[in-house]
Amino acid sequence: MALSEAALFARARRAYERGRLQAALWPAALLVPVVAWSWTWCRYPALAVVCGTALVALTLVFRWRGRVWARGVGPGLAAGLPPLVVPFLMREASQVCVGEICCSLCLIGCVGGGLAAGAILGRRAASIGEGRGAFLAAAGTLALLAGAPACAFAGVAGLAGLLLGFAGGSAPVLLARSPA
Amino acid sequence: MDAAHRQELQDLLVRLADGDRAAFPPAFTLLWPVARAFARSFLREDAGAEDAAQQALVRVFLRAAEFDVSRPALPWVLGVVANECRTLRRRSQRRREASLAEADARPDPAASPEEDAARRDLERAALSVLEGLPAADVEAILAHIGEAERPDLPPPTFRKRVERALKRLRQAWSRRHGTL
């Protein structure tokens, strides 16, 4: 039966939102095996579950929301690889000492991974004209959530190192490229 | 649709694919008359065309997130509308055939001897046309009207075979008896 134009408008609008949600489901679903894999080795399985759930949910929401939020998903997940992989590979390594100060290699991996993620996203954000903050917020959150389970090997210090590394990696690039 | 409107449609669908909700109302306003006019010229009947255009418009917005921005928007939209028109036409044709088969299957206790004789004549005429068809077509038609066991085929294959058989039956009937 034919609908009135107002009813058709509302139905088309609902269809548009449903279509966006369906299109967002696939990329989010692809992350589920990665989250399950990180749960199998994470030092704190509950942290892996919380971070993984947030990662999948935010990927879905950002892709559904669209615009600069959706454009942050790919780079954010790509930037999350260094802080996920480097500390994971260094988790069994021993400590490195400079003089009397010793530090675990895993912690250094967290800071390094965070720095790499920050630099990647900072460079990318600096090339964006409008919505730089939203891009960095979306992509940065995803990168940090991806890296957190691996940095948990170094405990709270690892998570703090990841955060500091990210801030240290993104800030200079952003500051250098920001318009005067 | 002139070049300016085509370009406007292209821009609006690109924005919708990106998740820009502000592009929805102008896209709806631009697309609704286009979809309705195309469905009318395709189906040549107003009521069915209105339904098809509405379904098609909802489908266009459902798939807007998947729109390939490198492709022209108007052919994509018209392709969706044409597809919906074809589906509607097939559905109404199937309904017509089903109601005819149902009417044939129902014995009429109030029929007079003349009506019974006419019915028998019609059955004979139909059987003589059926005899001229390939065995696979006869088998498909008889299974379709519930007079024979359905062949062991997947439903889409069986549906296609019935469609082809009915088309050949109509042609054979027209050749032999002139009208359908």
Side-chain angles (χ1 to χ4, degrees):
Chain A
M1 201 180 80
L3 301 166
S4 71
E5 202 164 315
L8 179 63
F9 182 91
R11 199 171 149 204
R13 184 63 203 255
R14 282 197 300 274
Y16 174 63
E17 297 298 345
R18 200 168 65 243
R20 287 203 66 79
L21 198 62
Q22 281 168 2
L25 272 174
W26 266 113
L30 288 176
L31 291 173
V32 174
V34 181
V35 171
W37 171 70
S38 70
W39 175 77
T40 59
W41 48 253
C42 185
R43 188 173 162 190
Y44 305 104
L47 178 81
V49 169
V50 170
C51 290
T53 308
L55 186 71
V56 172
L58 286 178
T59 301
L60 184 74
V61 170
F62 292 159
R63 291 286 301 213
W64 165 76
R65 185 73 192 84
R67 311 212 73 189
V68 77
W69 298 94
R71 285 197 283 276
V73 170
L77 293 176
L81 280 176
L84 175 71
V85 174
V86 177
F88 174 75
L89 295 176
M90 291 179 165
R91 68 193 188 281
E92 305 290 352
S94 57
Q95 291 193 331
V96 60
C97 295
V98 180
E100 288 194 357
I101 302 167
C102 291
C103 183
S104 81
L105 266 178
C106 184
L107 178 59
I108 294 172
C110 289
V111 178
L115 267 170
I120 292 168
L121 294 181
R123 269 182 75 87
R124 195 67 182 264
S127 65
I128 293 176
E130 204 181 315
R132 189 180 292 177
F135 174 85
L136 205 59
T141 307
L142 295 182
L144 293 174
L145 284 171
C151 286
F153 279 117
V156 178
L159 296 172
L162 170 67
L163 213 58
L164 283 174
F166 181 80
S170 57
V173 188
L174 275 176
L175 289 173
R177 296 233 182 160
S178 63
Chain B
M1 188 180 249
D2 58 24
H5 277 108
R6 276 179 189 228
Q7 189 53 50
E8 191 187 350
L9 178 64
Q10 183 77 28
D11 294 344
L12 288 170
L13 277 184
V14 168
R15 282 171 59 194
L16 278 177
D18 190 39
D20 184 358
R21 269 76 173 172
F24 185 87
F28 180 88
T29 310
L30 193 63
L31 279 173
W32 174 226
V34 174
R36 193 164 44 183
F38 185 80
R40 272 183 187 151
S41 71
F42 196 102
L43 290 172
R44 298 182 190 286
E45 48 140 345
D46 276 3
E50 191 84 0
D51 276 350
Q54 290 191 351
Q55 292 287 344
L57 198 67
V58 170
R59 194 161 288 274
V60 163
F61 284 110
L62 184 70
R63 291 172 54 190
E66 300 161 20
F67 172 64
D68 180 356
V69 296
S70 66
R71 291 176 61 191
L74 187 62
W76 180 74
V77 169
L78 296 183
V80 175
V81 182
N83 210 25
E84 206 55 48
C85 288
R86 265 186 234 114
T87 307
L88 196 91
R89 194 153 61 185
R90 262 202 305 270
R91 209 177 292 153
S92 63
Q93 197 174 342
R94 219 171 282 153
R95 234 188 338 254
R96 231 178 7 243
E97 283 164 5
S99 63
L100 276 176
E102 199 183 317
D104 281 351
R106 227 182 292 128
D108 186 1
S112 66
E114 287 84 0
E115 283 170 330
D116 262 340
R119 185 189 160 87
R120 274 197 301 276
D121 281 346
L122 200 59
E123 278 176 359
R124 265 197 297 276
L127 283 172
S128 70
V129 173
L130 269 180
E131 278 167 10
L133 293 180
D137 285 359
V138 177
E139 186 191 25
I141 291 168
L142 292 179
H144 179 60
I145 61 172
E147 292 292 328
E149 204 166 300
R150 194 176 154 151
D152 191 19
L153 291 169
T157 314
F158 177 66
R159 207 163 46 237
K160 259 275 171 292
R161 185 175 282 187
V162 169
E163 264 172 37
R164 275 200 300 268
L166 288 174
K167 193 176 165 192
R168 277 197 279 265
L169 176 68
R170 267 186 230 107
Q171 286 166 349
W173 180 280
S174 298
R175 270 198 305 275
R176 196 177 280 241
H177 303 293
T179 51
L180 187 63

